[in-house]
Amino acid sequence: MSRAAVLTGLGTFVPPRVVTNEELARTLDTSDEWIRTRTGITQRHWAEPGTATGDLAVAAGERALKSADSGGVDLVVLATTTPDHPCPATAPEVASRLGLENAAAYDIAAVCSGFVYGLASAAGAIAAGIAERALVIGAETYSTILDPDDRTTSVIFGDGAGAVVLRAGDPAEPGALLGYDLGSDGSLKDLILVPGGGSRQRAAGTAGAGEPGPRPADSYFSMQGQPVFRHAVTRMAASSLAMLDRAGWAPETVDWFVGHQANVRILHAVADQLGMARERTVVHLDRVGNTSAASIPLALADAVTGGLIAPGDRVLMSAFGGGVTWGSTALVWPGVVAN
Ligand code: UT7
């Protein structure tokens, strides 16, 4: 029988500083009402200046390892849009800080789809015998790349991290990831973009968001909201259906849809397209905003801790993000307690 990746630990961390809609409305031409009705978000957490993605990833990773049955891991996959440095990857330092000596470690850059890409990548390594146990982390500090004067992005994104431990196991066990649907369309790469700082365009200047001093406009995150909204609904619905087909589940038998927490209107539109009751959609973005690669594990943990997701429940996860990229996976909840 083939080896599956089985979820055995779940941990999260959000930085303590809460930024409310009202606080943003003091400096931006926006309102609590606009943000709530257009997105469903009421607050987000932003890291204090000096706190980096790696710090959040270590905190969530530590909690996931504690929540797992036992033992370390031999692979660390970190999904992030906001690595600590352009070079090297953030994952090796996170692994080292977690005491995971000699673990293979690399970053995945699939923006908001990064966590699902990370699960698939780690599960592939487990299935191939490259790894026995893996820590998959989605961690972001979007506050460091948001343009504080851009109301179209600053009100949407938040910082945070979520992590799971996967171990080699049997495809029939609860917690086994039941397959993957991944895709991309790079012709739409300009829809979600940080133009500078890579090999195509250097970034000038040094100061980060939340820090004093000017920042170069080309190092800010930009998003064309409306087309992203449309593509997100279409792609997440199609990818979810492909995944359900692989799992052999009819949409109405799914207990919980844990979609990327971009916008409550997107989550409901996807549920409508799948023919699922909107009440089956896990909504966590109201309290943390869109945390990109961290959003699915954060929403998952919130639903588990809050008693929504129970052992034996059928859980479908689906994401859409920059690239553009999308991805879905599914599992029967194994009874893991979130930390
Ligand atoms: O995480 C990766 C995937 N990301 C997503 O999936 C995000 C997808 N997009 C969205 O969620 C939505 O497009 C947004 C929440 C970003 C924007 O909502 P929308 O309903 O698409 O608004 P819009 O961009 O069509 O803007 C409507 C109006 C515009 O004003 P006019 O042209 O009608 O006068 C905007 O200028 O709202 C204005 N607006 C704002 N007003 C107050 C845009 N941002 C704000 C704001 N506060 N923060």
Side-chain angles (χ1 to χ4, degrees), residues 29-31 34-35 38-39 112 151-152 155-157 192 223 225-226 228-229 232 260 262-263 265-266 290 292 320-322:
D29 181 16
T30 189
S31 66
W34 190 95
I35 302 169
R38 295 287 179 137
T39 70
C112 302
R151 67 177 181 175
T152 68
V155 305
I156 309 277
F157 291 91
I192 291 173
M223 179 171 73
Q226 277 194 4
V228 169
F229 190 111
H260 166 50
N263 187 320
R265 289 156 53 213
I266 293 177
N290 178 342
S292 192
F320 176 87

Side-chain angles (χ1 to χ4, degrees), residues 275-302:
M276 286 174 55
R278 289 183 173 190
E279 296 69 41
R280 297 279 123 198
T281 300
V282 169
V283 178
H284 183 231
L285 58 88
D286 51 325
R287 286 152 287 155
V288 294
N290 178 342
T291 57
S292 192
S295 91
I296 287 184
L298 279 170
L300 194 59
D302 185 65

